[in-house]
Each structure stands twice: as structure tokens, then as C-alpha cells.
Amino acid sequence: MCLAKGEVGEEGEGKCDIYEGSWVVDESYPMYNSTLCPHIRREFDCQKYGRPDKLYLRYKWQPKDCDLPRFDGQDFLRRFKGKKIMYIGDSISLNQWQSMVCLLYAVVPDQSRIFQNANGPLTTVIFQDYDLSIMVFHSPYLVDIEIEEIGRVLKLDSLKNGSIWKTNDIVIFNTWLWWYRSGRAQPWDYIQDGDQIKKDMDRMVAFKKALITWAKWVDSNVDFNKTQVFFRGVTPAHYDGKEWDEPRVTNCSKETQPISGSTYPSGLPQSSYVLEGVLSGVTKPVQFLNITTLSQLRKDGHPSMYNGVNRSMDCTHWCIAGVPDTWNQLLYAALISQN
């Protein structure tokens, strides 16, 4: 399986792009009961906070020309016994991490042997009987924000947390959500680009420069004999119905079904092209989890007002159980193809 292109198949045989497909109802889904998983933050716990419909839980991703292996939690625990797996990025990484924890929690015989601890930006769930750590490291820009005399500085060419990240066996990166934040939601006061310190700059240019810093770090610092590196694609928000040919829709609050077919009307966002361009220049074998289009199709997958946070409208994050389970299913497919 070449995840950069999403291809499955032996040499000489027909290849299958696992990222080209559609969402279909499968009555065996969801893969776990979210009400029994104690690790879900209230922002993502849609059933607990009153979401009335359940059809969104029943969809599985069906590639056009092949089948995706179902996530097998017991196999995962056995296969990766003794390993350290870390999700690194923004709150969408947190979304995917909590999905993985619930997928595994559901199949562990003695759940009293599962422990969680938090230390600054790092949260770890340890599956004691398997010596398996599933971690999430909060780093929304991947590059550093440092406190200096002038204030908080976003440094596009500095990446100091890499010394922690590279010690793991499997790392899954993502960044995008915070790059266009401004005002009080913006956690920095200045951007440093090389020797220049600026009050602001073109955010897409800044995003690309930070990704290039990350790519150089990967090429120079990660031992690929020990560590497998994944980068998950940009995830969409669904606040603008024009993107899916419903121009009067302004959020996801009434969405209960995916978009049919395999094409999102407005196409990929610019950030996806920037990300793929940078990844194509990495010399080491970083694997791309190309989940943008399949996630764009899931306008029904967000918490909307069922998020336990003042019933605010959230069409950015994802319900758990839900779409992030498929991201982890694709990660599992990549891992088992290599191990």
C-alpha cells in the first residue's frame, strides 16, 4: 500500500485508491458504543449531549475498487504491544486520538488496567496489559511560540518539541485549524520569519513556511528505522452551504446524511495543495493520510450544538464515535500493510 497515493495492490495487479470512494450505510457500525467510553471530551460527545439522530454513526467508508480492512482493536493491541504512538497537532489531533482510545478501550478485557495522565501539552493513555501508550501532544502550529520581551512570537523556523516527538514508534502529525485565527483567539502577537519580526503576514505563506521547517526537521532528525511518520490531511469545516451546492445553509446543524458520491462540489481547499506540495519534497518516507475529500463529504459528522459547551455551533470538530474512526481505520490499514 502506497499511502501517499492511496494505492493498494501487488505489482502487476490492478491498483485501488483507498481514498476514492463513497460513504455507505453499514448496520454493523459504529465500531464501539461511545456511551461506554470514558475518555471522550464533552466537545465531541454528541450522543451524551443530546444529538437525536443516529444514522451518522452507521456510515463506513467504501473505496471504489476494493475493501478497507475493518479496524481490529484486539489485533492492534497485540501487534503494537510495547509501542508508543503519538498524535501531534491541534484539537483535530485530539479528536482523532480520542477516537483511537475508544476503539481500543472497547476491546480491552480488564478496563481497570487503562490509565490516563496529563503533563502540560502531553496527554497519555496507557494500556497497561499491553505496555502500549497512545498519546496526544498539543502543538497547533507544529512550530514554536516563544515568550519574548515584545510578547508572544510565532517562530516559523523553530521546532524545539521535535526532541520529544522523535522518540516514539509511530507519529501522526497535523496542522491547519489555527492558522487563520485572529484577535483574541490568536495565541501569538508577532511572527518571526527568518531574521524578520512582523506583526502579521499572509497566513497561507506562513503555513507553508512552517510546514517546510517541519519537513526539514523530519528529513534531518527522525530515524525511520525506528519511527513511522504520518501526516493527516487538512480537515474541513462545514459552515458555508455554497461549498456543497446549498447556498442558503450557513452551518451543519440540520445535516444528517453525507454528500452522496465521491466528489465535493467546491473541490479541495488551497491549504491541501500547499500541504501536498511540501510533503512531495520530503525525502524520507512520510506517509500521507489523504482524508480531506472523504471528510468533506461528511457534513453530517460534526457536533453542531450537541457539544456540551454552551450549545455553541461547532461544524469544525467531529462527533465521537464518527468520522475520526475512519481516519484511524485508514491508519490501521497502512500500519498492517507494513508490519
Side-chain angles (χ1 to χ4, degrees):
M1 181 183 294
C2 176
L3 265 292
K5 297 180 180 178
E7 292 177 344
V8 181
E10 299 298 325
E11 289 299 322
E13 294 183 0
K15 300 270 186 178
C16 166
D17 183 349
I18 58 174
Y19 298 109
E20 182 180 346
S22 59
W23 292 94
V24 299
V25 173
D26 185 326
E27 292 301 331
S28 70
Y29 276 55
M31 291 183 272
Y32 56 89
N33 183 345
S34 63
T35 65
L36 301 179
C37 182
H39 295 276
I40 305 176
R41 279 174 53 143
R42 60 181 183 168
E43 292 95 323
F44 316 139
D45 203 348
C46 304
Q47 288 297 304
K48 180 177 180 179
Y49 287 98
R51 181 163 176 170
D53 60 308
K54 290 184 168 56
L55 183 58
Y56 75 95
L57 294 166
R58 304 290 183 193
Y59 285 97
K60 77 170 182 181
W61 178 247
Q62 180 59 59
K64 180 181 177 182
D65 297 317
C66 58
D67 290 324
L68 195 61
R70 188 180 177 94
F71 186 92
D72 185 335
Q74 292 178 333
D75 174 69
F76 192 99
L77 290 164
R78 289 191 299 268
R79 193 182 289 263
F80 300 107
K81 187 173 184 178
K83 301 296 186 183
K84 294 181 178 179
I85 300 172
M86 181 180 284
Y87 295 87
I88 301 156
D90 52 36
S91 54
I92 309 295
S93 288
L94 175 67
N95 231 174
Q96 187 176 6
W97 169 77
Q98 293 200 324
S99 159
M100 177 62 84
V101 170
C102 289
L103 283 162
L104 298 177
Y105 181 91
V107 300
V108 171
D110 185 357
Q111 293 167 338
S112 69
R113 302 271 295 162
I114 302 172
F115 304 98
Q116 179 169 329
N117 60 69
N119 182 16
L122 177 65
T123 304
T124 304
V125 170
I126 301 170
F127 294 83
Q128 193 78 46
D129 291 337
Y130 304 89
D131 189 26
L132 172 64
S133 296
I134 308 292
M135 296 168 278
V136 62
F137 192 104
H138 183 67
S139 180
Y141 297 96
L142 298 183
V143 293
D144 299 330
I145 297 175
E146 295 188 357
I147 307 298
E148 300 190 350
E149 286 187 12
I150 58 172
R152 302 164 298 174
V153 181
L154 175 62
K155 300 198 168 189
L156 299 181
D157 57 358
S158 176
L159 196 153
K160 294 179 179 176
N161 289 318
S163 59
I164 301 171
W165 303 342
K166 70 180 182 180
T167 62
N168 295 284
D169 299 289
I170 300 164
V171 287
I172 306 99
F173 290 94
N174 114 290
T175 182
W176 169 243
L177 184 60
W178 288 51
W179 283 94
Y180 273 85
R181 289 194 175 190
S182 59
R184 295 176 63 184
Q186 174 184 299
W188 50 267
D189 305 304
Y190 296 89
I191 296 181
Q192 183 169 346
D193 178 15
D195 294 330
Q196 292 186 307
I197 295 180
K198 308 174 182 181
K199 190 64 180 175
D200 208 340
M201 64 183 289
D202 184 306
R203 300 297 182 89
M204 194 66 72
V205 172
F207 173 61
K208 182 176 182 178
K209 286 178 178 286
L211 288 174
I212 291 171
T213 296
W214 171 87
K216 290 178 179 177
W217 170 80
V218 167
D219 277 340
S220 302
N221 291 275
V222 178
D223 179 2
F224 277 74
N225 293 315
K226 168 183 166 48
T227 303
Q228 295 184 69
V229 179
F230 293 85
F231 207 110
R232 180 176 48 69
V234 171
T235 57
H238 288 97
Y239 292 100
D240 185 0
K242 291 193 295 293
E243 292 185 356
W244 61 91
D245 294 339
E246 293 185 41
R248 295 184 179 181
V249 175
T250 57
N251 58 48
C252 60
S253 63
K254 297 181 180 179
E255 304 300 329
T256 59
Q257 295 183 43
I259 294 169
S260 61
S262 58
T263 304
Y264 192 62
S266 65
L268 290 171
Q270 184 185 355
S271 53
S272 286
Y273 293 107
V274 170
L275 172 59
E276 291 186 40
V278 173
L279 290 178
S280 69
V282 179
T283 60
K284 296 291 181 65
V286 173
Q287 298 178 75
F288 181 37
L289 297 175
N290 189 11
I291 54 78
T292 301
T293 298
L294 65 88
S295 302
Q296 286 177 316
L297 300 174
R298 291 303 305 272
K299 57 188 173 62
D300 60 320
H302 301 286
S304 66
M305 74 281 285
Y306 305 108
N307 58 50
V309 186
N310 301 320
R311 296 182 68 82
S312 56
M313 183 58 59
D314 185 354
C315 302
T316 300
H317 298 96
W318 304 85
C319 293
I320 297 176
V323 175
D325 301 330
T326 295
W327 305 342
N328 283 319
Q329 186 180 8
L330 290 159
L331 173 65
Y332 173 67
L335 290 168
I336 63 174
S337 74
Q338 299 159 17
N339 292 280

